[in-house]
Amino acid sequence: MVSSSSSVVASAARRVRVVVWGGSGYVGSRGGRAPAWATRDDWSARVTWVAGDALDAQACERVNAGADVVVTAIGVLPFPWMSSEDIIKYNAETNVTPGRAAMATGASRLVVVGASIPPFVPGLASYAKGKAIVEAFARDEFASTVSTNGDETQHGQRRRRSAVVLKPAAVSGTRRAGALSIPLWAALDPARKVLRLVGNSAIMTNAPVPLENVARAAARAALEDAYGDAGFTIIGNESLIEDFSS
C-alpha cells in the first residue's frame, strides 16, 4: 500500500509532497483504501491511499510523479518457510525499485526505513543482505547524484539528492493484522527500559525502539531542512531511542 500526502513546511513556506511506500503498515488494506486502524484518525482523510506494486518500475514512477520526497518502508520478516532469494527480494527490490523511480521522477530526497541487525540473532543473513542492498543504493546511487526537479541552492546551483536511512533494531508497538491487535510493546518496552539502565552504548544499539520514535524520525527526515542537502545520513538505533522520543 502506498500513501501520499502534502505537508506544509514552515521553514520553507511551501508544500512538500511525500509518497510513502508501505504506508499502510504491517498488513493493512489491499484495496487502495485507508487500513481500518487508520480510519479513526483525522490525518487519514488528508492522505491519498493507493494500492501499488513496489516491484513494477512503471507503476512506481506513476505513483512517485510530482513527489518531492519518497519514503520506502517495505519489508518482510525472514520466516523459515521463505527461500533466501525471496527474503532478499522482498526486503531489497521492494525498496530499491521505488527509490530508482524517485530518481527518474525528480524527487530530491529518499528516506529508507531499514534495520539494525543484532549479530547474536541466528538466521538473519538473507534479511541483513536485503537491508544492506537498500542502504547501499541510497548511499551510492541516490545520494551521489544531483536533483533534476529544478530545486536550486541560494547560489543557483542544483541541489544534491539526499538520502536518510533509519536503522531500528526490534520495533516496539502494536502489530495490526486485520481486526487483531498484537501488543508487541508489552514485552519489548520493559526490555528497553532494563537495557537503558545498563547505560552501555553497544547494548543500546540493539535495544527495542518505540514505533512512534521511528515514525517521528521518518517524518523529520522527510520534511526538515536539515536533511535536505546533507548527502547521505544514517540514523542509528540508539539515536532513534534517545533523540526522537518527542
Side-chain angles (χ1 to χ4, degrees):
M1 181 69 66
V2 186
S3 61
S4 171
S5 66
S6 295
S7 301
V8 177
V9 182
S11 60
R14 67 186 181 92
R15 287 190 177 273
V16 175
R17 183 169 184 257
V18 180
V19 171
V20 181
W21 288 86
S24 62
Y26 291 111
V27 176
S29 170
R30 300 290 182 184
R33 299 182 300 275
W37 57 262
T39 56
R40 297 183 297 272
D41 298 322
D42 292 340
W43 61 264
S44 180
R46 301 193 297 272
V47 175
T48 301
W49 301 84
V50 181
D53 183 355
L55 294 173
D56 184 330
Q58 291 184 337
C60 291
E61 289 188 18
R62 287 194 297 271
V63 172
N64 287 349
D68 301 287
V69 182
V70 171
V71 180
T72 65
I74 301 176
V76 297
L77 294 175
F79 294 111
W81 56 82
M82 296 181 66
S83 68
S84 175
E85 291 77 12
D86 280 348
I87 293 171
I88 294 172
K89 176 181 179 179
Y90 291 114
N91 283 290
E93 292 181 34
T94 52
N95 294 281
V96 171
T97 303
R100 288 211 172 97
M103 295 174 67
T105 56
S108 59
R109 195 180 311 185
L110 175 69
V111 180
V112 175
V113 181
S116 177
I117 314 297
F120 50 81
V121 179
L124 295 181
S126 298
Y127 182 76
K129 183 175 181 179
K131 296 298 184 182
I133 289 171
V134 185
E135 183 176 323
F137 162 76
R139 179 188 64 242
D140 300 336
E141 294 188 45
F142 194 94
S144 66
T145 58
V146 176
S147 173
T148 60
N149 68 357
D151 250 0
E152 294 183 344
T153 67
Q154 60 180 341
H155 302 296
Q157 298 175 325
R158 285 286 182 87
R159 285 191 182 276
R160 182 182 176 188
R161 296 184 191 277
S162 63
V164 182
V165 176
L166 315 183
K167 299 188 69 172
V171 177
S172 174
T174 299
R175 181 185 178 94
R176 294 179 173 88
L180 179 65
S181 295
I182 306 171
L184 300 178
W185 56 266
L188 296 179
D189 279 4
R192 181 182 66 259
K193 292 175 182 178
V194 170
L195 293 174
R196 289 186 76 173
L197 292 176
V198 176
N200 185 299
S201 180
I203 291 177
M204 291 304 292
T205 299
N206 299 303
V209 57
L211 174 63
E212 293 78 10
N213 289 35
V214 179
R216 193 174 291 114
R220 286 174 55 180
L223 298 174
E224 290 187 358
D225 288 344
Y227 298 98
D229 201 28
F232 179 68
T233 304
I234 287 178
I235 302 178
N237 193 67
E238 185 174 7
S239 178
L240 288 169
I241 293 173
E242 302 295 345
D243 301 331
F244 295 91
S245 59
S246 61

